[in-house]
Amino acid sequence: MTYLPPPAEELRFLDAELRRLDAHRAQLLARRAWLVSVLQSAAAGPATPPFGGPAPTTAPRPEASAPRVQNVLLVLGGVLLTIAAMAFTLVSWGHLGIAGRAAVLGTVTAAALAAPVPLLRRGLRSTAESVAGLGLALTVLDAYALHEAALADTDGTAYAAVAATVLAGAWAAYGTALGALRLPRPAALAAAQLPLLLTALAADAGPHGISAALLLTATADAAAALLVTSPALRPVRIAAAIGAYGTGGWGLLGALWLSWTAPDPGAAVRAAALLLPASAVVLTAAWRIAGTARTAEPGRTGATSGTDVPAASGTPSPALPSFSPQPLTTTLPTATALLGALVLLAALGGVLRVTLPGGWAVPALLLGALALLAAPRIPWMPEQVRRGVAWASAAVQGLALLWALPLVAVALFGPLGRADRPWSGGPADARDAVTVHAPWLSHSGPALAVLGLFAGALALLVRNATWRQRALAGAAVLAWAAALSLPAALELPYVVGLLLLGLLTVAALALPVLPPTGTVLALVTSVDLVFLALADRTATLTALSALTVLYAAASTRSRLAPVTAPAALAYATALACATGAAAGWQAPHTALLVLVVPAVAVAVAPRLATTARVACEVTGVVAAVVAVGLAVVDAPVLALVLSSLGVLAGATATRPDRRAAGYAAAALFALAAWVRLAAWEVTAPEAYTLPVTVPALLVGAWRRRRDPLTGSWPAYGPGLAVTLLPSLAALWRDEGWPRPLLLGSAALLITLLGARHRLRAPLVLGGAVLVLTALHELAPYLVQFADALPRWVPPALAGLLLLALGATYERRLGDVRRVRDVLGRMS
C-alpha cells in the first residue's frame, strides 16, 4: 500500500519543493534576461553570463513612452493645422474673398466638430480631443470671417465681446453634449474671461472700469472653482482656478497701480474701493478652502486646532478633488490668505501715501502691518488663514525694511565710488565721502524710524525660544546698520568717520553673543572702511596695514579663522597692490610682490583647521589670479608668474591630501609655454586642440578598459569636444572649402564609430557637428527652396502627418492592450 505521510510532514515537503522551484525559476529568468540583452545590444565585447559573474547589463530603455509620443504628435498636429488654417484665412487664397473663405471655413469647422463623434465610438479619445481642439480654434476663425464678411461696420471690440460670449456658451454646450471630451468646457471657461473686459474696453470705462471688470471675472472664476464639485468636471475646476488667479492677478495689478499713482485722496479712496472687496473675496476663499480641507479629512467635521467651523446651511463644504487634503491644509489656504491680507495692506498704504508727507507713510504702514499680527489671535480663525495673515504682515515689514535699506546702501556702498578716483584728496566730511556718485536721501528720517521700529519689534515681540536667537541677530544687524549710517547722517569729520568704522569693526569681532553674525558684520565694515580710506594715500596704507594685522591676530581664534584668515590674506593682497602703486611700480612688477600672498597661503594653510585651510587656499588662488591679471600685459613677466605659481602648486601637491594640485602645476607650466605660442599669433584652433584631444582620447580608452562601467561622456566627451566645438565655431567664420571637408569627414567618422560601438558621446557630438556642417554648406540652397513654397503649406503637411501618426499610435496601443488582456486571462 502507498505510504501517506502525516499532514505536517507533507506540508514541509511541499514547502521545500516550492522553494526549490522558485530558486530554479529565478535562475532561468536571469539567464533569459541575459540572453535578451545579448540579442538587443551590440557586440561591444564578450558577454559575461550571469551565473558566477557580474550582473548582466540591461538593454537601454526608450526615454519616451508610446502614449506620450502619441499625445505629442496629436497636439503638434492640431497646432500646425490651426496655424495653417489661420494662414489660409488671413493671407492665402485671396482670390476667394473673405466670403468664400468663410464658407470654406464653415464647412471645415462643421466637419471638425462632428468628427469626434465617430472617433469616440471607435475608442480614439486622444485623436478626438485633438480634432475637437482644431474645431474650437476654427470657430474663432469663423467668428472673424463673419465679422469681415457681414459685420465689418460694427465696432471690433464690441463684436469681440459678443463673439466671446457666444463662443463660451457654444463651447460649453458642445462639451456638455460630448461629455467624454475634456477640452471644450475648460475652453469655454477660458473664453468667458473676455466678455466683461472687452465690454469695458468698448464702453471706454477707463482704468477703474477695466480693473473692476477683471476683478468681477475673477470673482466668478473663484466661485466656480469652489462650488463645482463633480469629479467629472475636474478640468473645469482647474481652469477656473487658473482663471481666478490669472485674471484676478491682472485686476489686482491694475487696482494697485491706480492706488499707488493716485494724485489725491479721492482717487486713492476710489482705488481702495476696488481693493477692499477683492481682499474680502480672497480672504473668504481662503477661509472656505481651509474649512473644506478640514471637512475632507476622515473623522473631522470642520475642527482644527481645537476650533469648530460649522459648514454653511448645515451641509458639508464641497471638496476640491483637484487638490489632496494635505496640500490644502498646508499650502493653498495659506497662500490665498497671504494674498488677501497683502491686498488689504496695499489699500491702506495707497491712502496713507497721499495723506502723510515726506515718506512717513512707510512707518505708518509698518505700524499697520504690526497691528495686523493681532488678527491671527482671533480664536475661530483657521490655522492656515492665520498663518497666511502672519506671513502677509511679515512681507510688508520686509518691504518697509527694503525701503529703508537705501539709506544703509548709500552709507555702505557709497565709498565704492572712490575706487575710480583713488587718492584724490580727503573729503570735507563723512557725508561727502559716501556721496561720490549718489545723492543723499531726503527720507533719511523715516528710514531711520523704520529701522528702529523693526529692530524694536524683533527684540520685543519675538518670544519663541526657537526664533529668539535669530531675532536678536536681526536686531543686532539693524543696530549695526544704524551705527553705520550715523556718521554720514550727522555729517561728522572724515577722520572721525574712519575711526568710528574701525572701532565698529573691532566691536563686531568681539561680539560675544552671536559670533557668526559679528564676524560677518566686521568683515563688511572693514571693506567699507577700505573703500572709504581710498580718498587718501596715507589713510589707505594705514587702513590696509591695520586690517591685515587685526585679522591675522583674530585668526588665532579657531572659531574665527575660517573668515579672518582669508580676510587677512585678501587685505595683504590689497596692501601689496597699494604698496606697488605708491612706489610707482608698473603692474607686471607689482604682480611679483603679490606672489608673496599665495606663498604665505601655501605655508600657513597646513597649520589651520580643515574649513579655515580650504578658505585660505581659495584666497591664495584668488591672489594668484590677481597676480596673473597684473602680469598679463607683459608676456615674459606673465610666463615668470605662471612658472612661480606652478612651483607653488607643486609644493602644495607634496601634501598627501592635496595630490590633485599636481595637475594644476602641470597645467600652469603648460600655460606658461603657451604664452610664448600666443605671441606667434596662431589662429588655427586645431593647432592647440589636437595635441590635447589625442592624449585625452587615449586616457579615456584606457579608463574604459580599466573600468567598463565608465560612460562614453566622461571618457570621450571632453576629448572630442575640445577639437570639434572650436573647429565648428571657426567653420561659421571660414568661407573656404578645406575646413568644412575635413571637419565633416572627421565628424562622419566619429559618428560611424559611435554607432558601431553604441557609444553615445561620439554619436551625439559627431552627429551634431556633421548636421551643423551640412547645414552650413546647404543653407543657401535651403533658403531658396523655402522661398518657393507658400508659407502655410509646410505646417499643414506636418500637422496632417502628425495627426495620422498620433491616430496610428492610439490604434496600436489599443491593440496591444487588448492582446495583453487576452494573455492575462490565460493560465
Side-chain angles (χ1 to χ4, degrees):
M1 298 178 64
T2 304
Y3 170 72
L4 296 177
E9 183 179 353
E10 185 178 2
L11 180 61
R12 287 194 297 271
F13 175 76
L14 291 178
D15 290 340
E17 285 296 318
L18 288 175
R19 284 193 296 270
R20 186 182 64 80
L21 290 175
D22 289 340
H24 187 59
R25 183 175 183 272
Q27 292 178 356
L28 292 178
L29 288 176
R31 181 69 180 182
R32 181 184 181 279
W34 175 76
L35 291 174
V36 171
S37 66
V38 169
L39 293 175
Q40 292 182 349
S41 61
T48 303
F51 302 111
T57 58
T58 59
R61 301 178 61 184
E63 298 181 356
S65 62
R68 183 171 297 179
V69 173
Q70 161 205 310
N71 294 334
V72 170
L73 293 176
L74 291 175
V75 170
L76 289 178
V79 170
L80 291 176
L81 283 177
T82 303
I83 294 174
M86 293 174 62
F88 164 75
T89 306
L90 302 176
V91 179
S92 302
W93 287 18
H95 63 278
L96 290 178
I98 189 63
R101 277 179 277 175
V104 174
L105 274 180
T107 304
V108 175
T109 301
L113 292 176
V117 177
L119 291 174
L120 289 174
R121 292 175 181 173
R122 296 175 64 87
L124 301 177
R125 179 174 177 178
S126 298
T127 306
E129 291 279 2
S130 181
V131 176
L134 174 62
L136 298 182
L138 290 175
T139 57
V140 179
L141 296 178
D142 290 336
Y144 168 77
L146 178 63
H147 179 267
E148 295 297 322
L151 303 174
D153 296 333
T154 60
D155 180 65
T157 306
Y159 176 80
V162 176
T165 305
V166 174
L167 288 176
W171 292 353
Y174 181 71
T176 304
L178 298 179
L181 296 179
R182 298 181 180 179
L183 180 62
R185 281 176 287 193
L189 188 61
Q193 309 300 308
L194 299 177
L196 287 179
L197 174 61
L198 294 176
T199 301
L201 292 174
D204 197 12
H208 288 82
I210 294 174
S211 299
L214 291 173
L215 292 175
L216 286 175
T217 304
T219 301
D221 292 334
L226 292 172
L227 298 179
V228 174
T229 59
S230 174
L233 298 179
R234 182 173 180 268
V236 177
R237 288 195 303 278
I238 296 176
I242 295 174
Y245 282 103
T247 307
W250 284 110
L252 287 177
L253 287 177
L256 289 173
W257 178 79
L258 292 173
S259 177
W260 287 96
T261 58
D264 51 59
V269 170
R270 288 196 300 272
L274 294 175
L275 291 174
L276 291 177
S279 174
V281 170
V282 175
L283 289 174
T284 303
W287 203 303
R288 172 92 178 193
I289 295 172
T292 301
R294 288 194 303 275
T295 57
E297 297 178 5
R300 299 293 298 270
T301 59
T304 179
S305 302
T307 303
D308 295 335
V309 181
S313 303
T315 59
S317 301
L320 293 178
S322 59
F323 302 99
S324 63
Q326 184 63 24
L328 277 172
T329 58
T330 56
T331 303
L332 188 57
T334 301
T336 308
L338 169 65
L339 177 62
L342 286 178
V343 172
L344 176 63
L345 290 174
L348 175 62
V351 175
L352 291 175
R353 183 187 62 84
V354 295
T355 56
L356 295 178
W360 287 99
V362 178
L365 183 61
L366 178 59
L367 289 175
L370 293 175
L372 193 62
L373 290 176
R377 300 182 183 274
I378 299 175
W380 58 84
M381 180 179 290
E383 177 64 27
Q384 300 83 3
V385 179
R386 184 179 304 151
R387 189 182 302 116
V389 173
W391 276 110
S393 175
V396 172
Q397 295 176 44
L399 290 176
L401 182 61
L402 289 177
W403 178 83
L405 284 183
L407 174 66
V408 183
V410 171
L412 182 61
F413 299 106
L416 298 180
R418 296 287 173 181
D420 62 347
R421 53 181 74 181
W423 302 344
S424 58
D429 51 43
R431 180 177 295 184
D432 184 46
V434 300
T435 55
V436 179
H437 296 297
W440 186 251
L441 301 177
S442 59
H443 60 272
S444 57
L448 289 176
V450 167
L451 292 175
L453 287 173
F454 200 83
L458 288 176
L460 299 177
L461 299 181
V462 180
R463 295 296 182 181
N464 185 276
T466 304
W467 292 91
R468 181 63 178 170
Q469 292 297 322
R470 300 176 186 178
L472 291 178
V477 171
L478 292 173
W480 166 83
L484 189 69
S485 306
L486 277 179
L490 299 178
E491 297 185 84
L492 296 177
Y494 173 67
V495 178
V496 175
L498 292 178
L499 291 175
L500 288 179
L501 288 181
L503 293 175
L504 186 59
T505 303
V506 176
L509 277 177
L511 194 63
V513 179
L514 302 167
T517 305
T519 305
V520 173
L521 294 180
L523 184 61
V524 174
T525 308
S526 62
V527 172
D528 192 57
L529 173 60
V530 169
F531 280 98
L532 196 64
L534 282 178
D536 183 73
R537 177 184 303 177
T538 304
T540 301
L541 296 176
T542 303
L544 289 174
S545 302
L547 290 174
T548 302
V549 174
L550 174 64
Y551 279 101
S555 299
T556 58
R557 304 170 66 180
S558 58
R559 65 181 180 85
L560 300 179
V563 176
T564 56
L569 293 176
Y571 286 128
T573 304
L575 180 60
C577 296
T579 302
W585 297 353
Q586 297 195 359
H589 300 121
T590 304
L592 300 177
L593 182 60
V594 175
L595 284 177
V596 177
V597 178
V600 172
V602 171
V604 173
R607 297 176 175 83
L608 300 175
T610 303
T611 306
R613 183 189 310 146
V614 174
C616 185
E617 290 172 346
V618 170
T619 308
V621 171
V622 174
V625 173
V626 172
V628 172
L630 292 173
V632 74
V633 296
D634 192 336
V637 177
L638 178 60
L640 177 60
V641 169
L642 292 174
S643 301
S644 302
L645 293 176
V647 172
L648 294 177
T652 304
T654 59
R655 292 160 46 191
D657 58 338
R658 292 293 185 268
R659 298 301 187 191
Y663 298 104
L668 287 170
F669 286 126
L671 189 59
W674 287 2
V675 169
R676 294 292 183 179
L677 294 177
W680 297 343
E681 299 183 357
V682 177
T683 58
E686 293 80 5
Y688 298 95
T689 58
L690 284 176
V692 178
T693 294
V694 174
L697 293 178
L698 293 176
V699 171
W702 175 78
R703 182 179 177 185
R704 281 180 59 85
R705 185 177 182 87
R706 291 288 301 274
D707 185 7
L709 297 179
T710 302
S712 62
W713 280 110
Y716 303 122
L720 293 175
V722 163
T723 294
L724 290 178
L725 298 183
S727 299
L728 183 63
L731 172 67
W732 292 89
R733 300 190 302 268
D734 190 357
E735 298 181 356
W737 61 270
R739 186 185 298 275
L741 178 61
L742 295 176
L743 180 60
S745 301
L748 178 60
L749 178 61
I750 292 171
T751 304
L752 294 177
L753 290 175
R756 173 67 178 80
H757 297 286
R758 297 289 182 92
L759 299 176
R760 186 177 299 178
L763 186 62
V764 173
L765 288 175
V769 173
L770 182 61
V771 170
L772 292 176
T773 304
L775 288 177
H776 175 267
E777 296 301 310
L778 298 178
Y781 306 101
L782 294 176
V783 171
Q784 294 178 3
F785 178 74
D787 291 338
L789 290 175
R791 296 302 177 89
W792 61 270
V793 172
L797 294 177
L800 290 174
L801 177 62
L802 292 176
L803 275 179
L805 290 176
T808 303
Y809 254 92
E810 188 171 10
R811 171 62 67 184
R812 296 297 179 265
L813 288 177
D815 296 340
V816 170
R817 293 190 188 99
R818 284 192 293 272
V819 172
R820 183 189 61 190
D821 294 338
V822 172
L823 293 177
R825 290 192 295 267
M826 293 182 179
S827 58

